[in-house]
Amino acid sequence: RSKDGGGGMFHAYEPQLHVAAEERRVLEFALRAAVEQGQMHLTYQPVVNARTGGLLGFEALLRWTHPEFGVIPPAKFIPLAEETRLIPAIGEWVLRTACAEAARWEQPARIAVNISSEQLHSPAFATTVADALASSGLAPGRLELEVTESVFLREGTSAVATLERILDLGVQLSLDDFGTGYSSLGYLAHTRFNSIKIDRGFVQSASRGTKEAIAIIRAVVALADSLGMATTAEGVETEDEHHMVQAIGCTRAQGYYFGQPLPVQEARALVSHTGRATIAA
Ligand code: C2E
Ligand code: MG
Ligand code: MG
Ligand code: MG
């Protein structure tokens, strides 16, 4: 591959780094056009009442199918969108699409939308949320925004100020992937989270009998209970895991055992076949 065909300077390249950078450039370029060209869509994963199994709502999960490269997982393109400043536009599309969809449901199920920290660092974001609610007609209490602990890492309080403005709209707020980041209990007291989502890693370890994981989930549930917050067990895949998180006292659950992320029509049908009493629980 080297220009001089011999032991020249081009051998200094790490071939893998080169490929990664090239792939990044290609993906970034593709990502810029993805929303406009209709390559993205949302799937909706059920969130249930952990005690009864009844449907409470859905988490909107973004999917990207590129005409050439096929399905690209969020774990790959979300970080790229965050680094390249594309996330505000993509995130706004997600928010507006999810609100518009939830407003059409026959029952008042909740819709959770993932928000990147970068979105909260724009002061205009609270206005975007207000506008998504107004133009869809969705009741603010039915929208739940999921943020991770990374929101609190950056210097300054702008993200927290934006969160406060969003909370004042009556929107719900949940702390996603709890336990995977720089978990500090301090901001649980400072921010009005409605719910803590316990990361799948803890649920998995606990179901394998890891004492520490069980102890941590118990402690988080006790803390959340005393602060009046819900707890969602993420990544529940089996009946045994459901029984375990039920026994520990998690209030909500989500995972393949209850349902995969569903196409929009299937989510809509699931809402229609669910009684109002179940959703309100
Ligand atoms: P997350 O918000 O923690 O979402 C849960 C992830 O776990 C989803 O992966 C979901 O498909 C997966 N999952 C759910 N139940 C199970 C289970 O029982 N077992 C296993 N193994 N996995 C389960 P997904 O859809 O690939 O999304 C990955 C991450 O990408 C999300 O994690 C979220 O951080 C991010 N993401 C997805 N959509 C959006 C979006 O619209 N905006 C932003 N900012 N981030 C998003
Ligand atoms: Mg989430
Ligand atoms: Mg999560
Ligand atoms: Mg997670």
Side-chain angles (χ1 to χ4, degrees):
R1 289 273 244 106
S2 71
K3 259 185 182 168
D4 57 11
M9 63 179 284
F10 282 78
H11 280 276
Y13 276 118
E14 269 296 333
Q16 266 177 337
L17 284 182
H18 181 73
V19 168
E22 178 64 19
E23 186 193 58
R24 230 186 92 98
R25 245 170 27 81
V26 170
L27 273 190
E28 181 185 335
F29 184 77
L31 193 55
R32 287 186 188 279
V35 169
E36 277 168 38
Q37 297 184 356
Q39 295 167 10
M40 292 205 171
H41 71 277
L42 295 181
T43 58
Y44 298 84
Q45 187 178 34
V47 177
V48 304
N49 178 322
R51 200 169 41 80
T52 64
L55 183 71
L56 296 174
F58 298 89
E59 176 176 2
L61 293 162
L62 187 55
R63 294 291 176 262
W64 179 21
T65 308
H66 187 272
E68 228 178 290
F69 313 137
V71 173
I72 301 160
K76 199 162 202 172
F77 74 81
I78 294 285
L80 184 65
E82 290 170 348
E83 287 161 30
T84 55
R85 312 291 312 135
L86 291 167
I87 199 70
I90 294 171
E92 181 170 344
W93 178 83
V94 170
L95 183 69
R96 289 183 184 278
T97 305
C99 287
E101 176 54 27
R104 304 175 57 172
W105 293 341
E106 282 178 18
Q107 306 282 345
R110 202 180 290 125
I111 181 72
V113 175
N114 291 286
I115 302 296
S116 291
S117 305
E118 282 70 15
Q119 290 173 270
L120 291 167
H121 288 281
S122 154
F125 184 65
T127 311
T128 303
V129 174
D131 196 66
L133 290 168
S135 56
S136 64
L138 187 74
R142 290 181 52 200
L143 176 63
E144 183 167 279
L145 300 185
E146 299 193 358
V147 302
T148 62
E149 295 155 329
S150 64
V151 164
F152 300 97
L153 286 183
R154 240 200 253 177
E155 283 298 307
T157 54
S158 65
V160 176
T162 308
L163 281 181
E164 290 296 331
R165 289 184 57 200
I166 292 167
L167 283 163
D168 288 342
L169 298 170
V171 168
Q172 310 265 307
L173 187 65
S174 71
L175 186 56
D176 204 353
D177 300 337
F178 187 76
T180 56
Y182 305 81
S183 304
S184 147
L185 302 179
Y187 44 66
L188 284 180
H190 294 140
T191 311
R192 292 172 280 157
F193 286 104
N194 304 90
S195 126
I196 300 175
K197 301 191 79 171
I198 300 167
D199 192 69
R200 178 167 67 92
F202 285 108
V203 175
Q204 273 185 330
S205 304
S207 80
R208 289 197 211 100
T210 308
K211 282 205 210 87
E212 292 79 3
I214 297 171
I216 287 170
I217 299 178
R218 281 192 198 286
V220 172
V221 168
L223 180 69
D225 280 351
S226 67
L227 292 171
M229 298 174 189
T231 38
T232 308
E234 293 192 283
V236 174
E237 294 182 346
T238 64
E239 189 178 11
D240 281 354
E241 286 174 358
H242 178 206
H243 288 152
M244 180 198 69
V245 301
Q246 219 173 17
I248 293 180
C250 292
T251 57
R252 306 177 186 169
Q254 183 178 354
Y256 297 162
Y257 178 65
F258 303 104
Q260 298 271 338
L262 303 172
V264 62
Q265 298 85 354
E266 283 179 39
R268 203 180 296 169
L270 196 60
V271 174
S272 301
H273 296 128
T274 301
R276 180 176 280 266
T278 314
I279 283 174

